[in-house]
Amino acid sequence: MPVDARVEVATHCPYCALQCGMAVSEDRSVSPRDFPTNRGGLCQKGWTSASLLTTPGRLTTPLLRERRDAPLRPVGWTEALDYVALRLHELRDRHGPDAVGVFGGGGLTNEKAYLLGKFARVALGTSKIDYNGRFCMSSAAAAGIKAFGVDRGLPFPVADLADADAILLVGANVAETMPPFMRHVRPAADKGGLIVVDPRRTATAEAAALHLQPAPGTDLALALGMLHAVVADGLLQHSYITDRTTGFDEVWRIAAAWWPERVERITGVPAADQRAAVALLAKARNAYVLTARGTEQHATGVATVSAWINLCLALGLCGRAGSGFGCLTGQGNGQGGREHGQKADQLPGYRKIDDPTARAHVAGVWGVDPAELPGPGPSAYELLDSLGTERGPKALLTFGSNLVVSAPRAGHIADRLDSLELLVTADFILSETAAVADVVFPVTQWAEESGTMTNLEGRILLRGKAVTPPDGVRTDLDVLNGLAIRLGQPEERFPTDPETVFAELGRASAGGPADYSGISYDRLRDGEALHWPVPAADHPGTPRLFLDRFGHPDGRARFQPVEHTGPAEPPDPEFPLHATTGRVLQHYQSGAQTRRVPELLDASPEAFVEVHPDTALRLGVQDGQWATVTSRRGSVRARARYVPTIRPDTVFLPFHFPGAQRANLITNPALDPTSRMPEFKVCAVRLGPA
Amino acid sequence: MKITIVGYGMAGARLADHLRGSGASITVIGAEKHPAYNRILLSNVVAGSMAPASVLLHAPDWAADNGIDLRLGVAVAAIDPGAHRIRLTDESTVDYDALVLATGSNSWIPPTDGLVTDEGTLAPGVVAFRNLDDCRQIVDLATRDTPVAVIGGGLLGLEAARGLAGRGCAVTVVHAVSHLMERQLDPAGGHVLARVLGAMGLEFRLGQVATNYLPGKGLQLDDGSLVAAELVVVSAGARPETSLAEAAGVAVDHGILIDDSLRTSAPDVYAIGDCTRHPGTVGGLVQPAWEQAAALAKLLTGADPQARYRGTASVTRLKTRGVDLASMGEVHVEPHTTDAEVIRLEDPSRGRYTKLVLRDDRVTGAIVLGAPDVAAAVTQLHDRGTPAPPDRMALLLGRAMPAGEPSSDPAALPASTVICRCNTVDLGGLLGAWRDGARSFDCLVSTTKAGTGCGSCRDTVSALSQRLAEQNPHPDPDPDPEKLGCNT
């Protein structure tokens, strides 16, 4: 079909979970759309996103090497697919189905995430599938399910925030990570109601009336101190707690021991500021508490998010129109990606894989025997840590992730990948992980294919195909289809048409918490705003959850008794500083995409380490010079940047850069007991000149 | 292993919490009739911001749920360390393998005539401020406009006085020393604090002693004056409760003497909390008691035989509405001493006073009144022993430090100033676009993308375009707007 170069296709940005509305035309130009999440705004990443479509180094042919020490050579699709299928057969024959692992991503469309999970469970029969969302949303997701019975990042439309008098942002630097989101926060900020919790004085904190600057790893104590202040200052919503919640008394017995002055000593946040923050939230007509990775990516991430939810419940904010609790999803499809079965313990529709009813339903849709479906597998870090070991997978297939840069304790994970007998990667460029793979499948990206995404507010979006992909590339769905057939699956079980896959996903999700069964591409093309659950074709969707009842059988929200324990690796004389990691505006995730956009690389070319000048001067580290940050796990090189507003006991590193500049060379893989989230946001380090 | 804890206050309850589930057989003896409560929160009860039920540490079924033998409303009559046995006031006995004394402290009652009856109890209208029952009594007696005298201008006395003033009582604090909180404040700090509390309606009689209590009338002071009071609250200090230990021959010297393993002089008898005296610790605070409980639990359960309690750096916070006061370490060092660095900042009319004592770049003492953010920063430096910033004044000023105010004229900023963070557009970029022909706000926005992200810099870009138009009323003719990609 010929395409008019000037015809614009309505789509969404390829990066974060805000999924800004934009239009892309066949001549590869981008313009913003007036969509509710971005209201006509785009950041530099969005404006420059089309240059990914013509990026030099685009892969247009499969690459293969039979031996690790040989260079990757271009091969045809048939040869590459045959080779991978043959090797997978061999490994499964020798070691059983769990010898093959699969690793997905929170940037994959719903269709890809769904088919990847089905491929792992049905075509490979492996339990060993997980995804990089484990490193992203898992703590907030687990805490949300514990408290509310359902996990949807924002259980309300993002546009609702504009009507708030007060917003508490915890570990969220939205001014850099999703800049147009600030448009929703601005009204509260203008009223003096924005409160930001962050060890750094970020661009977001600059916009706040009140910036609480806790030591990394002490957020849980801060939340307890604020809950204490709610009670001590007479702001507790007694009737709400009686009518809509359970478990407050037990939570209070813990928080009673965390009076704000005691919390101040641990966090460094003035007791007066804790009380002021609570008063702003309590006196607001409408108020929200929103968390993000800063407070979630800890070995106590679930407990910490639970503590923020407890605060929000004590103030009576949850399940009330115009107020509430939410977590800000990071990756483009971080929400949908955790709902459709690429998670180690889940089946489509946000169902649990160990629930017999869920297994029977999904197996019925897939036309297989429920008994053949594998059980829950290991979580992301545990899966990666076991690669190439006696009991771990001998082969790994990765889709939509760049583990060499993004995994915690990245040096160790790179070694584990090296020890595999077969590493297969699907990507559109030669990412750091693709570069060490045995087989690389060149796949379409974003505007070259159709698919749905579920944004941070649980709204399902259709990203339409806007441009013709280069010759030689195929979609991820094609790759899964090609491999599945070679593994003996009937062709129709792995469709390659996204709309067909979506219809099947809808059936598989029917009756689950994230029910998509009433959504169709036609409804999305018509521009309907559909937030899940959408259980029937005539159902209008659910923009606001919990207004009448929470997701637990008794309809009540559950306070969670959680206690502060502190970071897994406190500073000591050998490693006296806290290191924390995060994002810069110009880059997304491992930077695999954004480092290939010249404007973005110009603006942010290399790793840096933010350090207080007093601290740096004592250690002989000069502003603008290269420095080394060392933890028990490794060293990272970064250019020192003096920042007088950072805590003197803390340094900050962005994690978007490769090689010796990988922040994840130093991060601590201590895992949360529930979510298995690694402790990305705090470890003990020392700093010195490079 | 049979562990018996004497005392069900903050230290004893904490230890029992640490020990439960360890397999030890635990007995707890509490002289009061109700479950353990959080003494730190009693001033909230007096102030009326918390109900007595809110300060309980344990649910009523805590002991049953955890298999703990809890005896309430009964005291220990005697310890027999040789027999490893205690006798209770109800004549029952309990054998132990390890005995932990957590008996806390008692209010010290000053020798004012008439405060104590012949039977040894407090006179009608007189209440000590020590336990939950005291608080209930104070709350019952302190109705609005009741004149109240508080004996004692220390931490707890002032918290009670402030709470009662908040209830509408007319409160006078009688303090024998010439300035308030003399343990934690130097005279200058004490005077600023009195001024702050005075502005909240508290009256002070400093350096004066109550000689007589006249029921229904009030307190007569040593200068002959009368402080009218229908209620007298006594908070003049506490003494470690050591009588039981002393009678059993355990070594006592202003507290039961303990070592880093929380051992007393008697075998298998340990002690924690306010009843103890440890070489590195200031008494009367909860933090040391909790740290002692944590260390002792590790020792008794064998979880960490190397666990030791090495003392606690004490930080005192006055917890009362509208006053922010922190005091820590050595506060009485004179400003002109030569062996330490002392910095003071005094702003009495605004209720602020800060004093820092430093040795070898480390904060070894501080008083911070009326500067909450300074208190938080100084406390962290003190606790962690990290070097203080070279600019001591900046530390003392906290957030009062002047931030670089951005110029109101955007054109006057350096060219490298980032105007639009979302799209990495600096002033130089906007000026360049203007020179290239983007002569309007809309055209500047569409050519540079400034203002198209979060939108917060749009006002600045607009001001800049106006300013440039004013400065250059007759610029070169505009290049073709089509070519620029914008419609002017």
Side-chain angles (χ1 to χ4, degrees):
Chain A
M1 187 174 65
V3 193
D4 180 344
R6 301 286 291 230
V7 171
E8 290 187 329
V9 172
T11 183
H12 295 269
C13 178
Y15 301 114
C16 80
L18 195 58
Q19 287 292 294
C20 293
M22 57 165 59
V24 177
S25 54
E26 181 67 35
D27 68 0
R28 292 166 173 76
S29 67
V30 159
S31 57
R33 285 193 294 133
D34 189 13
F35 192 74
T37 57
N38 59 312
R39 292 164 52 193
L42 286 182
C43 74
Q44 194 177 11
K45 292 192 290 286
W47 277 110
T48 58
S49 55
S51 75
L52 286 175
L53 299 169
T54 54
T55 187
R58 178 69 191 267
L59 299 178
T60 54
T61 170
L63 303 172
L64 188 151
R65 60 180 143 208
E66 278 91 358
R67 291 197 346 258
R68 218 26 96 69
D69 53 4
L72 284 165
R73 62 183 171 85
V75 296
W77 273 96
T78 306
E79 182 181 350
L81 289 166
D82 285 350
Y83 177 80
V84 171
L86 181 70
R87 298 292 312 275
L88 294 177
H89 264 305
E90 279 171 19
L91 288 168
R92 290 170 63 208
D93 286 351
R94 255 192 293 145
H95 304 285
D98 274 351
V100 181
V102 176
F103 203 87
L108 300 175
T109 62
N110 289 321
E111 292 79 359
K112 294 179 188 178
Y114 167 79
L115 209 65
L116 189 62
K118 182 179 178 184
F119 175 80
R121 269 71 180 244
V122 176
L124 294 173
T126 181
S127 68
K128 305 215 168 170
I129 173 170
D130 212 44
Y131 79 128
N132 65 14
R134 186 72 71 175
F135 301 152
C136 187
M137 305 307 302
S138 59
S139 288
I145 290 171
K146 278 173 185 254
F148 306 124
V150 174
D151 155 48
R152 200 180 89 189
L154 300 183
F156 46 81
V158 68
D160 281 8
L161 294 171
D163 195 32
D165 300 322
I167 299 174
L168 173 67
L169 286 174
V170 192
N173 181 15
V174 285
E176 293 203 69
T177 56
M178 45 174 66
F181 184 88
M182 285 300 278
R183 290 169 181 248
H184 305 287
V185 172
R186 185 67 54 192
D190 287 346
K191 289 179 222 165
L194 181 62
I195 310 154
V196 172
V197 177
D198 201 307
R200 305 161 61 213
R201 190 156 182 86
T202 59
T204 313
E206 287 285 350
L210 193 53
H211 174 203
L212 312 182
Q213 210 167 353
T218 64
D219 288 14
L220 209 168
L222 179 61
L224 288 167
M226 289 173 68
L227 178 57
H228 187 103
V230 169
V231 175
D233 295 350
L235 302 170
L236 194 64
Q237 295 300 301
H238 293 280
S239 61
Y240 172 91
I241 287 169
T242 308
D243 296 345
R244 301 208 56 188
T245 71
T246 59
F248 176 74
D249 288 349
E250 203 183 340
V251 163
W252 168 246
R253 265 188 280 283
I254 294 170
W258 291 96
W259 51 95
E261 288 78 7
R262 181 179 176 218
V263 167
E264 170 184 309
R265 222 172 146 181
I266 287 168
T267 62
V269 176
D273 286 357
Q274 298 172 45
R275 295 199 176 90
V278 162
L280 275 174
L281 291 171
K283 297 193 172 131
R285 185 180 39 94
N286 287 324
Y288 291 90
V289 176
L290 305 176
T291 64
R293 301 310 80 69
T295 202
E296 298 164 11
Q297 287 178 324
H298 293 272
T300 55
V302 177
T304 304
V305 177
S306 294
W308 293 115
I309 295 175
N310 289 344
L311 174 68
C312 207
L313 289 171
L315 290 165
L317 300 177
C318 305
R320 203 179 92 193
S323 291
F325 172 86
C327 83
L328 298 172
T329 301
Q331 295 192 77
N333 198 29
Q335 180 72 51
R338 66 184 185 264
E339 298 166 358
H340 299 298
Q342 60 174 331
K343 215 170 164 179
D345 52 355
Q346 289 188 357
L347 289 171
Y350 224 140
R351 289 183 156 91
K352 293 182 102 129
I353 201 167
D354 52 7
D355 169 5
T357 320
R359 292 170 67 88
H361 172 81
V362 173
V365 174
W366 289 349
V368 298
D369 178 356
E372 287 172 19
L373 294 179
S379 75
Y381 182 79
E382 292 158 305
L383 172 64
L384 299 174
D385 186 40
S386 74
L387 294 177
T389 63
E390 199 178 326
R391 314 188 56 163
K394 311 295 183 279
L396 185 73
L397 281 58
T398 78
F399 291 79
S401 61
N402 186 12
L403 294 166
V404 170
V405 178
S406 63
R409 200 185 170 196
H412 170 68
I413 296 306
D415 290 346
R416 300 306 341 137
L417 293 173
D418 265 351
S419 73
L420 286 168
E421 292 186 37
L422 179 69
L423 175 62
V424 180
T425 291
D427 214 326
F428 70 94
I429 37 85
L430 197 69
S431 70
E432 286 75 12
T433 306
V436 298
D438 302 292
V439 180
V440 183
F441 290 117
V443 288
T444 49
Q445 55 169 318
W446 165 60
E448 299 164 355
E449 59 189 13
S450 290
T452 61
M453 306 284 278
T454 304
N455 75 356
L456 77 172
E457 51 182 3
R459 176 172 172 174
I460 291 82
L461 309 170
L462 182 59
R463 275 203 323 212
K465 177 175 173 178
V467 303
T468 312
D471 287 342
V473 308
R474 296 185 184 177
T475 68
D476 297 275
L477 300 181
D478 282 322
V479 174
L480 294 174
N481 170 281
L483 289 174
I485 293 167
R486 285 167 175 79
L487 292 167
Q489 291 292 312
E491 167 139 31
E492 63 279 8
R493 195 173 273 171
F494 289 89
T496 57
D497 167 44
E499 191 165 352
T500 309
V501 175
F502 187 80
E504 184 186 310
L505 179 165
R507 291 195 299 279
S509 75
D515 189 332
Y516 285 35
S517 59
I519 309 173
S520 64
Y521 270 35
D522 283 338
R523 290 184 76 179
L524 295 172
R525 283 191 199 100
D526 287 345
E528 280 195 68
L530 296 172
H531 299 76
W532 65 255
V534 191
D538 58 357
H539 188 283
T542 315
R544 292 173 192 85
L545 291 170
F546 313 139
L547 293 184
D548 303 321
R549 63 194 313 282
F550 293 99
H552 290 300
D554 61 2
R556 289 167 175 272
R558 295 179 185 167
F559 279 95
Q560 299 295 317
V562 287
E563 180 61 279
H564 172 71
T565 51
E569 188 182 60
D572 58 26
E574 198 185 349
F575 298 99
L577 297 169
H578 299 288
T580 187
T581 63
R583 295 160 167 79
V584 301
L585 189 144
Q586 288 82 9
H587 292 296
Y588 177 68
Q589 301 298 82
S590 74
Q593 291 152 277
T594 47
R595 282 185 277 111
R596 287 174 167 80
V597 176
E599 295 93 324
L600 300 177
L601 195 63
D602 277 355
S604 180
E606 62 197 7
F608 57 87
V609 52
E610 288 188 2
V611 57
H612 194 284
D614 289 349
T615 307
L617 286 168
R618 262 204 324 277
L619 300 169
V621 171
Q622 298 299 316
D623 194 18
Q625 299 298 307
W626 286 96
T628 309
V629 184
T630 304
S631 77
R632 287 181 175 81
R633 293 155 295 281
S635 277
V636 55
R637 256 173 77 82
R639 204 180 278 284
R641 184 179 285 185
Y642 282 13
V643 176
T645 53
I646 197 170
R647 294 175 55 100
D649 59 6
T650 301
V651 298
F652 166 80
L653 293 141
F655 57 67
H656 312 289
F657 299 95
Q661 298 181 24
R662 276 176 291 170
N664 279 318
L665 291 170
I666 62 167
T667 48
N668 185 358
L671 299 183
D672 185 283
T674 304
S675 68
R676 316 310 282 166
M677 167 74 82
E679 185 136 293
F680 285 108
K681 288 301 191 221
V682 56
C683 66
V685 298
R686 62 169 175 258
L687 173 74
Chain B
M1 174 87 168
K2 284 188 287 190
I3 303 173
T4 297
I5 303 170
V6 182
Y8 187 38
M10 294 193 77
R14 187 76 158 196
L15 177 64
D17 272 328
H18 283 306
L19 292 175
R20 70 196 158 109
S22 68
S25 155
I26 302 162
T27 303
V28 180
I29 304 185
E32 293 180 54
K33 287 206 175 65
H34 31 70
Y37 53 87
N38 187 333
R39 196 181 297 282
I40 295 292
L41 304 181
L42 290 184
S43 53
N44 296 68
V45 176
V46 170
S49 64
M50 276 186 202
S54 292
V55 307
L56 298 181
L57 286 169
H58 289 151
D61 43 6
W62 168 83
D65 287 352
N66 292 288
I68 289 170
D69 178 8
L70 175 64
R71 320 258 184 109
L72 291 182
V74 59
V76 176
I79 306 170
D80 183 347
H84 282 58
R85 175 174 299 168
I86 58 173
R87 183 167 51 80
L88 307 188
T89 46
D90 63 5
E91 294 303 320
S92 62
T93 59
V94 179
D95 293 337
Y96 64 81
D97 297 315
L99 180 71
V100 183
L101 301 175
T103 47
S105 58
N106 293 318
S107 292
W108 178 72
I109 307 297
T112 303
D113 283 348
L115 279 185
V116 181
T117 64
D118 294 343
E119 289 81 49
T121 58
L122 291 174
V126 179
V127 187
F129 177 46
R130 191 67 199 159
N131 62 35
L132 190 54
D133 290 336
D134 297 336
C135 290
R136 288 199 175 97
Q137 221 184 325
I138 292 171
V139 170
D140 285 347
L141 293 171
T143 50
R144 200 170 173 76
D145 298 328
T146 305
V148 181
V150 175
I151 301 181
L155 182 77
L156 289 177
L158 292 179
E159 287 186 3
R162 174 73 183 97
L164 289 166
R167 286 180 168 268
C169 301
V171 182
T172 305
V173 177
V174 180
H175 190 50
V177 184
S178 60
H179 73 274
L180 296 174
M181 289 179 68
E182 72 281 356
R183 269 171 66 197
Q184 293 91 5
L185 298 180
D186 60 3
H191 289 128
V192 178
L193 178 62
R195 194 162 163 166
V196 171
L197 291 170
M200 297 174 172
L202 268 64
E203 298 276 339
F204 293 100
R205 299 297 183 88
L206 300 177
Q208 284 182 283
V209 176
T211 51
N212 281 295
Y213 170 58
L214 310 170
K217 290 187 180 158
L219 291 175
Q220 193 163 35
L221 306 190
D222 52 1
D223 66 351
S225 63
L226 181 80
V227 172
E230 289 172 26
L231 166 65
V232 173
V233 176
V234 181
S235 180
R239 297 289 177 269
E241 172 48 62
T242 59
S243 52
L244 202 56
E246 263 176 295
V250 176
V252 167
D253 177 13
H254 297 92
I256 303 169
L257 297 177
I258 52 170
D259 64 9
D260 287 358
S261 301
L262 296 317
R263 290 179 301 202
T264 69
S265 65
D268 300 318
V269 179
Y270 303 81
I272 57 174
D274 281 1
C275 63
T276 66
R277 183 160 162 225
H278 178 270
T281 306
V282 176
L285 297 172
V286 68
Q287 195 67 29
W290 282 355
E291 291 176 14
Q292 289 165 356
L296 182 56
K298 288 178 192 160
L299 289 170
L300 292 179
T301 58
D304 178 8
Q306 302 309 314
R308 292 293 180 272
Y309 173 74
R310 309 254 183 226
T312 304
S314 78
V315 175
T316 305
R317 295 295 311 253
L318 183 67
K319 287 173 290 299
T320 189
R321 189 177 296 270
V323 185
D324 199 285
L325 171 64
S327 164
M328 65 206 80
E330 45 173 1
V331 296
H332 293 291
V333 180
E334 289 298 323
H336 298 292
T337 182
T338 49
D339 62 344
E341 194 184 335
V342 180
I343 306 132
R344 295 197 313 146
L345 197 73
E346 210 168 340
D347 180 8
S349 54
R350 293 185 193 280
R352 287 185 293 210
Y353 179 79
T354 39
K355 176 178 184 177
L356 277 189
V357 181
L358 299 106
R359 293 180 196 270
D360 299 329
D361 248 13
R362 265 72 175 176
V363 175
T364 55
I367 298 168
V368 187
L369 172 59
D373 51 324
V374 177
V378 168
T379 305
Q380 299 243 304
L381 290 173
H382 171 259
D383 279 0
R384 297 173 182 205
T386 40
D391 186 353
R392 313 288 202 231
M393 265 329 203
L395 178 62
L396 280 189
L397 290 170
R399 271 195 299 253
M401 273 290 279
E405 276 297 308
S407 166
S408 58
D409 178 4
L413 296 167
S416 62
T417 307
V418 174
I419 304 293
C420 175
R421 185 192 301 270
C422 302
N423 281 286
T424 326
V425 184
D426 59 18
L427 180 65
L430 285 163
L431 294 174
W434 197 86
R435 274 196 302 275
D436 290 345
R439 300 284 157 74
S440 69
F441 168 74
D442 287 341
C443 197
L444 278 174
V445 167
S446 66
T447 50
T448 65
K449 308 287 190 281
T452 62
C454 73
S456 61
C457 66
R458 292 175 78 86
D459 288 349
T460 310
V461 177
S462 170
L464 179 71
S465 77
Q466 274 179 25
R467 185 70 202 225
L468 290 170
E470 286 161 17
Q471 285 172 351
N472 303 276
H474 305 294
D476 302 336
D478 287 2
D480 181 9
E482 257 311 280
K483 220 172 81 193
L484 274 174
C486 66
N487 300 312
T488 42

